[in-house]
Amino acid sequence: MNPSLQLRLYDTLTRDKRDFVPIDPARVRMYVCGPTVYDFAHIGNARPVIVFDVLYRLLRHMYGDSHVTYVRNITDVDDKINARAARDFPGMPLNEAIRKVTEKTEAQFHADVDALACLRPTVEPRATDFVLPRADGKADMVTLIKQLIARGHAYEAGGEVLFDTTSMPDYGALSGRNLEEQQAGARVAVDAHKKHPNDFVLWKQSSADEPGWDSPWGRGRPGWHIECSAMSAAYLGDVFDIHGGGLDLIFPHHENEIAQSRCAHGTPVMANYWMHNGFLQVEGEKMSKSLGNFFTIHELLADWPGEVLRFNMLRTHYRQPIDWTVKGLEESWKTLDDWYWVVGDSIGDRISNAVLAALSDDLNTHQVITVLHGLRNKAQSGDETARNELAWSLRMLGFLRESATSWAARRQTNADVDAAKVQSLIDARTAARAARDFKESDRIRDELAAMGVVLKDSKDGTTWEIAR
Ligand code: AMP
Ligand code: ZN
């Protein structure tokens, strides 16, 4: 690669954009918090998956495919999963019902993110496999909790094990929260057994009808945060390079992961770069089920090719909020149509340095797209180097997975019809109706419907649109 290109990443912890220097360039290590598998993932969940996929691809390009380890966990122990299992499989033993819910949701998640052209991470550990000490000696949650107790960072109270936040002088550094200020202003009711309001659960008891594991503190289950401390240590070691997720995870989840990992291992940091994507909203509003603007990836894939969803996500820099709109999706689709057409059957074999430079600047995908537009224009006027670079850069970013022909054919069936042909059929239908030949007019309407064209009759005549 071009030695003048230096990757720089914004680190939420130090609040600056720094040169990325891996601990070991032969083994670059990244952890991203994965889905809680109880229901379809929504389009907001797709953002971290796509953003960190782009980073993973860039790191593989820079350090070599076999020198990057990407871990994304699957959270398969959670009270939302228990509730869903009880709702969907009443009467079935809870363990079995939970397994059904998590297996189905995990398969769906994989289908969704595969369609978004995201590479599978190197490892996708499941939380339930890391609760108890393991035969292979990899880190596990119970051992981590024991270490925290032994080092004076955790205590048992009210049947739970809690992390003692006052045992860590710089607790709160990631989110910039000051413990004392918070306590002074705390309006949150403090659970009677907590020593300090910020203390959080490492282990809690399970009732007979909740999933549980036998531990030194009785039958119970882990808190949420401890699973990522265990699984990251299991595959990436006590200190690794990059930790990512959406910015809602900064507090409390990542703050608490840091507290657990650093205090259990006695290290000054957990990860060297903390990266957080901004939030996605829909048509200017927070996405929520009650507002009726809540979209699963699965639903969107019925209307839009996965590459269109991916492209639309990358038009905005990952740290900015993104407004997800139908207009944006339509523009994204048009751009990809055009690029597929300009690239044609060129495969390409070299990535553009300008694309790499933009990616290296804290994943500036917005700038990448500007560069690609420039390459497209040059390619269109016959510059074969530009066509080569456009093709290969797009492939490196996960696009052009189809041939230009199959992409265009899909567009045809999805949206594009020959407007002149539609109009002549409409005219023929109007004539048939005028002649009271309703059999023929119905036949024409059905022919149009088969092309995906819906007719609207009014006193001013007949208009048409493409069915969605
Ligand atoms: P969750 O299942 O809620 O833990 O979310 C899984 C991932 O999706 C986390 O990294 C969240 O930060 C991220 N996420 C959830 N909602 C959104 C959203 N609306 N926009 C961007 N990222 C989100
Ligand atoms: Zn996590």
Side-chain angles (χ1 to χ4, degrees), residues 245-400:
L247 55 73
D248 58 320
L249 299 186
I250 296 174
F251 190 88
H253 185 53
H254 289 167
E255 197 75 82
N256 293 347
E257 280 189 36
I258 292 176
Q260 297 161 159
S261 293
R262 282 183 47 198
C263 291
H265 304 131
T267 53
V269 296
M270 177 183 183
N272 285 330
Y273 302 83
W274 286 84
M275 295 178 65
H276 295 98
N277 63 269
F279 249 47
L280 173 148
Q281 51 172 21
V282 172
E283 307 282 355
E285 288 194 276
K286 184 179 185 297
M287 184 165 67
S288 85
K289 287 193 171 141
S290 59
L291 288 173
N293 65 351
F294 182 95
F295 297 102
T296 64
I297 304 171
H298 183 71
E299 283 164 341
L300 288 168
L301 284 169
D303 287 341
W304 310 89
E307 288 188 20
V308 170
L309 304 181
R310 181 180 177 91
F311 185 83
N312 201 49
M313 201 68 91
L314 295 177
R315 289 169 72 186
T316 307
H317 185 259
Y318 77 92
R319 282 195 283 122
Q320 303 294 321
I322 183 170
D323 190 21
W324 191 263
T325 63
V326 168
K327 182 166 169 281
L329 285 166
E330 277 164 357
E331 288 163 5
S332 296
W333 200 341
K334 280 207 182 103
T335 303
L336 283 178
D337 278 351
D338 176 56
W339 291 355
Y340 259 100
W341 175 68
V342 171
V343 166
D345 50 17
S346 163
I347 302 288
D349 59 4
R350 47 183 286 180
I351 181 162
S352 138
N353 275 334
V355 165
L356 276 183
L359 282 176
S360 301
D361 179 18
D362 193 32
L363 299 187
N364 191 342
T365 53
H366 181 81
Q367 175 62 20
V368 166
I369 290 169
T370 304
V371 172
L372 293 175
H373 277 298
L375 288 174
R376 177 262 174 227
N377 290 341
K378 284 190 186 165
Q380 181 54 14
S381 42
D383 181 336
E384 288 310 317
T385 306
R387 195 185 321 278
N388 179 317
E389 291 188 352
L390 176 64
W392 195 246
S393 304
L394 281 167
R395 288 210 160 78
M396 184 251 186
L397 289 166
F399 298 100
L400 305 190

Side-chain angles (χ1 to χ4, degrees), residues 31-34 73 224-225 227-229 243-244 249 253-254 257:
Y31 186 93
V32 175
C33 296
N73 66 296
W224 171 31
H225 317 302
E227 67 174 76
C228 290
S229 286
H243 194 311
L249 299 186
H253 185 53
H254 289 167
E257 280 189 36

Side-chain angles (χ1 to χ4, degrees), residues 40-100:
F40 285 107
H42 60 69
I43 189 63
N45 300 138
R47 194 168 192 198
V49 178
I50 293 173
V51 162
F52 292 103
D53 178 67
V54 170
L55 179 56
Y56 181 43
R57 287 167 182 268
L58 176 64
L59 293 170
R60 282 159 61 100
H61 175 82
M62 292 173 65
Y63 298 95
D65 289 2
S66 58
H67 298 294
V68 184
T69 308
Y70 173 18
V71 179
R72 187 180 61 212
N73 66 296
I74 288 174
T75 299
D76 60 352
V77 48
D78 186 279
D79 290 350
K80 288 194 285 273
I81 298 176
N82 308 341
R84 184 58 61 107
R87 188 195 82 179
D88 290 355
F89 302 97
M92 187 183 280
L94 189 68
N95 274 350
E96 237 175 87
I98 286 175
R99 209 185 52 237
K100 280 200 181 262

Side-chain angles (χ1 to χ4, degrees), residues 143-178:
T143 305
L144 272 183
I145 297 170
K146 278 193 197 165
Q147 278 164 353
L148 288 170
I149 295 173
R151 287 172 174 258
H153 292 290
Y155 58 94
E156 276 188 78
E160 296 182 337
V161 183
L162 293 140
F163 185 92
D164 179 351
T165 47
T166 58
S167 75
M168 183 187 187
D170 56 349
Y171 176 82
L174 182 73
S175 57
R177 288 174 183 231
N178 174 308

